């Protein structure tokens, strides 16, 4: 009686949500790949940013404020209690569920898969969702119930909406043949997006800002490596005598030296 509904699952993860609930717009893409035009979010750019530095996923995480923010947020989400609720008939409130199948998998004391506890998986999933805008895990039946096998977002090579309205994901790993998984086979954790299918990647949207931050860090590092002394080149239209050169050097050191 009543339908089991969980805010964390329904609103964030999206399990059981059919893509057919979205209206089909003929101007929208029915299939998306990571490098398909301006919508390709996995390709964070092969060239340097305006600041003159290259930015990749590892570079972004290496930025101190990004790493700290991700770490704090993911740990809060990963260690927070997870409760499941059932909607009572006639919208007469909700009731806590104590034996929901995913509780054993994602609860504080749960085990997500053979190598990750529930807390470890939830922390990993939140980092994926924040960075890439999308996190997926394959649902498998293990010895102790449901298991969630994580799939790195970078391995998603294609997302397409088939005629039934459901989504089909193509997973491509280096050295292995590609495989496809339907949305019913996956637990999907979605981040912020302006499109009904295409995720929004922090890595691509903030690439220029991260590039500026990395350029500043590189400059500060090289500055202190030179003894906190600026690199300056002076030119003179004539020829300076040796005493004049010494006086000039002394004057420069007294002004900018430590």
């Amino acid at each position: 009686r009543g339908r089991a509904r969980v805010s964390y699952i329904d609103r964030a993860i999206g399990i059981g949500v059919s893509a057919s609930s979205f209206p089909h717009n003929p101007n929208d893409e029915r299939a998306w790949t990571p490098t398909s035009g301006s919508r390709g979010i996995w390709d964070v750019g092969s060239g340097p940013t305006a600041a003159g530095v290259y930015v990749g996923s590892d570079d972004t995480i290496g930025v101190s404020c990004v790493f700290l923010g991700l770490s704090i947020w993911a740990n809060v989400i990963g260690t927070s209690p997870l409760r499941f609720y059932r909607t009572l008939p006639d919208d007469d409130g909700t009731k806590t569920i104590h034996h929901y199948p995913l509780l054993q998998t994602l609860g504080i004391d749960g085990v997500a898969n053979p190598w990750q506890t529930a807390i470890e998986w939830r922390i990993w999933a939140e980092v994926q969702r924040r960075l890439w805008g999308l996190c997926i895990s394959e649902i498998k039946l293990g010895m102790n119930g449901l298991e969630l096998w994580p799939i790195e977002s970078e391995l998603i090579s294609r997302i397409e909406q088939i005629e039934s309205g459901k989504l089909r994901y193509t997973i491509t790993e280096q050295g292995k043949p590609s495989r496809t998984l339907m949305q019913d086979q996956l637990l999907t954790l979605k981040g912020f997006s302006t499109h009904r299918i295409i995720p929004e990647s922090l890595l691509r949207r903030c690439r220029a800002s991260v590039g500026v931050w990395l350029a500043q860090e590189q400059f500060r590092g090289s500055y202190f490596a030179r003894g906190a002394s600026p690199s300056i080149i002076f030119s003179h239209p004539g020829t300076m005598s040796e005493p004049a050169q010494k006086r000039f050097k002394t004057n420069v050191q007294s002004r900018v030296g430590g």
Side-chain angles (χ1 to χ4, degrees):
R1 293 180 300 173
R3 182 176 63 89
R5 182 173 64 186
V6 186
S7 60
Y8 182 82
I9 300 297
D10 284 352
R11 298 177 185 178
I13 297 181
I15 186 172
V17 178
S18 172
S20 59
S21 61
F22 297 98
H24 289 171
N25 185 340
N27 296 322
D28 282 340
E29 303 89 338
R30 294 298 299 275
W32 166 84
T33 58
T35 56
S36 56
S38 61
R39 291 286 190 175
I41 67 163
W42 271 211
D43 182 10
V44 295
S46 57
T49 62
V53 298
Y54 292 84
V55 177
S57 58
D58 291 339
D59 301 312
T60 302
I61 299 175
V63 175
S64 56
C65 60
V66 175
F67 179 85
L68 183 60
L70 282 174
S71 177
I72 293 175
W73 185 268
N75 277 281
V76 168
I77 296 297
T79 57
S80 297
L82 184 62
R83 295 183 175 87
F84 297 83
Y85 300 91
R86 182 186 301 277
T87 302
L88 298 176
D90 301 324
D91 293 329
D92 190 22
T94 58
K95 180 181 179 181
T96 303
I97 302 175
H98 299 286
H99 302 289
Y100 195 72
L102 277 179
L103 188 58
Q104 184 177 352
T105 305
L106 292 180
I108 292 296
D109 299 322
V111 177
N113 51 60
W115 66 92
Q116 280 182 312
T117 65
I119 291 179
E120 290 172 339
W121 180 89
R122 287 164 61 181
I123 291 174
W124 167 86
E126 188 62 20
V127 171
Q128 291 283 306
R129 185 173 78 95
R130 291 288 168 177
L131 282 179
W132 301 101
L134 177 67
C135 171
I136 64 173
S137 289
E138 186 175 0
I139 302 173
K140 294 187 177 184
L141 185 61
M143 296 292 293
N144 299 317
L146 293 178
E147 294 180 352
L148 299 175
W149 287 50
I151 299 174
E152 298 290 339
S153 300
E154 295 170 278
L155 301 180
I156 304 173
S157 58
R158 183 178 176 86
I159 303 174
E160 55 188 326
Q161 188 176 38
I162 60 178
E163 290 301 321
S164 66
K166 293 185 177 182
L167 301 181
R168 179 166 59 195
Y169 297 78
T170 301
I171 311 300
T172 303
E173 298 184 59
Q174 187 174 7
K176 297 181 180 180
S178 297
R179 61 191 181 109
T180 59
L181 294 169
M182 296 300 299
Q183 68 177 59
D184 297 336
Q185 300 173 273
L186 299 168
L187 190 63
T188 305
L189 184 68
K190 298 178 181 179
F192 171 80
S193 177
T194 58
H195 192 275
R196 60 189 173 88
I197 296 176
I198 302 171
E200 197 70 65
S201 171
L202 172 70
L203 297 176
R204 186 173 73 91
R205 287 296 182 186
C206 300
R207 183 171 179 265
S209 298
V210 172
V212 172
W213 188 282
L214 290 174
Q216 291 176 345
E217 289 189 340
Q218 292 176 8
F219 174 80
R220 289 196 295 265
S222 61
Y223 177 75
F224 287 109
R226 296 192 302 267
S229 298
S231 296
I232 305 175
I233 298 178
F234 296 95
S235 62
H236 191 274
T239 300
M240 298 179 66
S241 64
E242 185 173 346
Q245 292 180 24
K246 290 181 178 179
R247 288 195 303 271
F248 181 75
K249 183 178 180 180
T250 300
N251 290 335
V252 171
Q253 287 180 340
S254 64
R255 289 177 175 271
V256 301

